[in-house]
Amino acid sequence: MDRYAVFGNPIAHSKSPLIHRCFASQSGQVLTYDAVLVPEDGFAVAVDDFFARGGKGLNITVPFKQQAWALAQWRSPAAELAGAVNTLYCDDQGRICGDNTDGTGMVRDIVKNHGGTVRGARVLLLGAGGAVRGVMQPLLEQQPRQLVVANRTPARAIELAEVFAGLGPVQGCGFADLESQSFDLIINGTAASLQGEVPPLPAAVLAPGGWCYDMMYSAEPTAFGRWAQQQGAARVLDGLGMLVEQAAESFRIWRGTQPDTRSLLQTLRDSLTD
């Protein structure tokens, strides 16, 4: 039986086993998928052992995405630019291959699941860490009017924007530089809102009719989600759909079939409040 797993630390909270088992059932495929707690100093050994024992594919989560990038012997263009890998598999030559499906998952959630648009929009990305880096190429491929990355440390945002400058109109700045600017879509790529914090954003930074998207998700609205509601956002979305859609893209890479995510999304949403 084909074996898959997600590697992380911590990992007990992961919904990936449920998601992938649902995908397998839906498509009539027989496989196993487990959540594996990996010691922080034992990632490379664990990956090598998994594939040596015939494992077919891995999802990678915190804190190992950068290590997975370094370990991969071949990386997709998206993973190369992101500097992080969340999907591993072996190709016909026995090479460990790395991909990053996070950005594809987020864009698909916004556009397919919620009928939103990135093309021609003014987009603001909050943060300059790995989560933001992982979604920048897919966002720019949607051809927004502009993409601004804002961070507490402006230099990090500016540096990140320079990396992706060849893909579209992107710039980096600090939060104070957002005065007098407004955006159609604001995406929170920081984890701060789960701790009850929101970046210091100007009151008028969200354009009338604008959407807000938090990459984090929880049973109750995140702090960023509550802020968005207070600003009168037309839609306030969290990252549960991103989680499911990035998993679907991993499943497609491994198994060659695209899962239907609609019913699973509702099941997972209901499970958060159980």
Side-chain angles (χ1 to χ4, degrees), residues 67-210:
Q67 289 187 51
W69 184 91
L71 187 67
Q73 296 162 296
W74 177 88
R75 294 182 286 265
S76 70
E80 189 69 47
L81 268 176
V85 157
N86 76 336
T87 303
L88 290 173
Y89 60 95
C90 281
D91 66 8
D92 294 338
Q93 302 171 47
R95 297 180 301 176
I96 295 178
C97 301
D99 210 328
N100 189 310
T101 66
D102 286 331
T104 298
M106 188 189 71
V107 169
R108 192 175 289 162
D109 186 38
I110 293 170
V111 175
K112 187 189 78 168
N113 295 338
H114 298 285
T117 182
V118 177
R119 189 177 306 276
R122 298 164 296 175
V123 181
L124 172 62
L125 260 174
L126 305 177
V132 166
R133 187 174 182 126
V135 304
M136 286 185 65
Q137 179 178 355
L139 280 172
L140 287 166
E141 287 174 346
Q142 291 290 304
Q143 299 179 337
R145 186 192 309 179
Q146 68 172 149
L147 177 62
V148 174
V149 183
N151 191 55
R152 290 187 187 277
T153 307
R156 290 190 62 197
I158 293 168
E159 179 183 353
L160 194 55
E162 289 173 350
V163 171
F164 291 87
L167 299 182
V170 57
Q171 65 184 84
C173 66
F175 295 128
D177 300 313
L178 297 173
E179 290 286 351
S180 77
Q181 297 191 64
S182 64
F183 298 88
D184 306 303
L185 173 62
I186 301 178
I187 300 169
N188 180 35
T190 76
S193 68
L194 290 182
Q195 282 75 53
E197 300 176 8
V198 178
L201 299 172
V205 72
L206 181 64

